[in-house]
Amino acid sequence: MADKNEKITTDEVQYVAKLSRLIMTDDEAKEMTRTLNDILVYMEKLGELDTSGVEPMTHAIPNENVMRQDALKPFTDTKDILKNAPDSKGAFFRVPKVIE
């Protein structure tokens, strides 16, 4: 017997799985049906919210430009830069020779 909150049936899940060429056991189809129904019920609940005064947005948190000013700065602490380098010599990175 179909539940009144059931938005999608196991037959529909199995049909989509077949179209997608997914191999799904009956238990997996039932679990997927339950999961999809939970998602659809939650989306229906979200649809009930009054969002008429809310501006469309791309992020939930206001985002400001966090990029720093592109300005040239001298860097004097080469030891700090080279401390994670696999190989170095003096103030330079050492890399394997790639061109003979």
Side-chain angles (χ1 to χ4, degrees):
M1 182 171 191
D3 183 5
K4 69 177 183 178
N5 286 333
E6 190 172 87
K7 308 293 179 199
I8 189 166
T9 65
T10 304
D11 290 341
E12 291 169 322
V13 169
Q14 288 172 330
Y15 177 69
V16 172
K18 182 180 176 185
L19 291 177
S20 305
R21 298 182 183 195
L22 295 173
I23 298 169
M24 193 176 280
T25 66
D26 288 343
D27 287 341
E28 290 171 331
K30 286 177 187 170
E31 180 61 30
M32 182 60 67
T33 303
R34 239 187 327 271
T35 302
L36 289 172
N37 275 313
D38 288 347
I39 292 169
L40 293 171
V41 166
Y42 188 70
M43 290 186 68
E44 196 173 87
K45 195 178 226 178
L46 289 176
E48 294 171 4
L49 293 173
D50 179 20
T51 57
S52 57
V54 178
E55 289 287 322
M57 61 180 128
T58 57
H59 297 280
I61 301 170
N63 238 352
E64 293 178 20
N65 187 358
V66 293
M67 305 291 281
R68 65 174 169 78
Q69 195 66 257
D70 189 19
L72 184 64
K73 289 186 199 174
F75 194 85
T76 56
D77 193 7
T78 52
K79 284 183 185 174
D80 212 26
I81 291 175
L82 295 171
K83 71 180 177 188
N84 292 325
D87 194 9
S88 63
K89 183 176 184 182
F92 302 99
F93 291 98
R94 286 183 63 156
V95 294
K97 190 174 186 175
V98 292
I99 299 174
E100 294 295 326

